[in-house]
């Protein structure tokens, strides 16, 4: 995940920029809690709790968590995630993972100030949808639909659930990135990837609408990031790419960033449509793409070293310090001395 400085910049810009808002309604005021859905960009610890204790995921192994917590928390980061900064900016504690708490085994956790349903590897569309296409999710069978079902079970167990949701900030993602990530790494064509975008956006929109009908009044929905700048893809497609495939200013892969922009374009249209249908709620579009792209366009301005901008901090070598067979958290992969000088932590986040 991006460094704390980078995360803070994204939040400040996304919150202040008028282009990031679908609604003109003010979002000032207090929230009593946060309800979060999403994938590895938002998961604060659900994924390790879903995995076997005998086979912990990479995010549950050192050096994950080294910068802030000092130990792995299940976050796909050296420290905190965007959701952690949002929580603290609102005066709320870190949002607790839902898994484990649903059966009453709270382990000292409290969901009164927030609950997180995000899971590493989650897609917007269902696991079965991709299996029928011959695309396998190597990490989880959890989708956004699964997370919504968990939330409705949670909501039914608390007193005055509608009031709880009304007073909560709902973070719908980031979600949808893995709907393309898994197919990309399994050889799907650009045409197939583009065909996935409308149904992905359609499901995200239906999830937002369902939350509104359940009582949500303020929802923040992030777009996709510039995936063509990620070390995982730069390494994966290095051998098959030509100079014309790269943006001369950033070194990022044009076709992958175009896919992310297509996703964001349709997402913003969907959110605008929902805002028209439900004028009493506040829907905020967080423009992760354009704000993150600024790091690649002007790395020195944001404290990143030019030579590190497209490399992972934690990895096992190569031109982008990413090797899909030796991921961060697996020997002999090592982490850099200064994660704050890198945009990418492990080549994927």
């Amino acid at each position: 995940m991006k460094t704390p400085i980078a995360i803070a910049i994204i939040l400040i810009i996304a919150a202040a920029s008028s282009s990031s808002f679908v609604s003109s309604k003010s979002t000032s005021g207090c929230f009593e809690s946060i309800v979060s859905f999403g994938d590895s960009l938002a998961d604060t610890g659900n994924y390790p709790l879903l995995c076997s204790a005998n086979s912990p995921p990479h995010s549950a192994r050192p050096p994950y968590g080294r910068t802030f917590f000092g130990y792995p928390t299940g976050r796909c980061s050296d420290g905190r995630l965007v959701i952690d900064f949002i929580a603290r900016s609102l005066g709320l504690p870190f949002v607790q993972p839902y898994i484990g708490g649903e059966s009453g085994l709270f382990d000292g956790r409290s969901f009164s100030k927030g609950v997180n349903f995000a899971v590493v590897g989650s897609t917007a569309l269902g696991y079965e949808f991709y299996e029928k296409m011959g695309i396998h999710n190597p990490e989880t069978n959890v989708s956004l639909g699964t997370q919504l079902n968990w939330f409705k079970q949670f909501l039914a167990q608390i007193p005055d659930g509608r009031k709880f949701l009304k007073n909560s900030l709902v973070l719908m993602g980031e979600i949808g990135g893995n709907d393309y990530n898994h197919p990309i790494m399994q050889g799907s064509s650009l045409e197939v990837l583009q065909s996935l975008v409308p149904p992905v956006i359609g499901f995200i929109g239906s999830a937002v609408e369902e939350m509104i009908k359940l009582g949500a009044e303020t929802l923040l929905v992030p777009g996709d990031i510039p995936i063509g700048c990620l070390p995982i893809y730069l390494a994966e497609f290095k051998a098959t790419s030509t100079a014309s495939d790269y943006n001369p200013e950033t070194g990022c892969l044009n076709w992958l960033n175009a896919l992310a922009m297509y996703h964001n374009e349709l997402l913003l249209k969907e959110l605008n449509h929902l805002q028209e249908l439900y004028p009493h709620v506040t829907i905020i579009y967080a423009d992760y793409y354009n704000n993150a792209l600024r790091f690649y366009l002007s790395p020195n301005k944001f404290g990143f070293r030019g030579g590190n901008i497209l490399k992972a901090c934690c990895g096992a070598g190569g031109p982008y310090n990413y090797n899909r067979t030796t991921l961060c958290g697996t020997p002999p992969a090592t982490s850099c001395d200064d994660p704050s000088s890198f945009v990418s932590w492990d080549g994927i986040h």
Side-chain angles (χ1 to χ4, degrees), residues 26 35 57 66 71-72 102 121 137 156 246 255 260 267 292-293 301 309 313 332 335-336:
S26 173
V35 176
R66 55 169 272 195
Y71 57 89
E102 80 282 6
N137 187 331
Y246 298 92
W255 68 276
L267 177 61
L293 193 64
K301 179 179 179 180
I309 193 66
C313 166
S335 62
C336 63

Side-chain angles (χ1 to χ4, degrees), residues 180-181 184 224-230 233 253 256-257 259-260 289:
Y180 318 122
N181 293 337
I184 289 170
D224 202 358
I225 61 176
I227 60 175
C229 303
L230 296 177
Y233 293 133
L253 285 164
L256 283 170
N257 278 353
L259 178 66
Y289 182 95

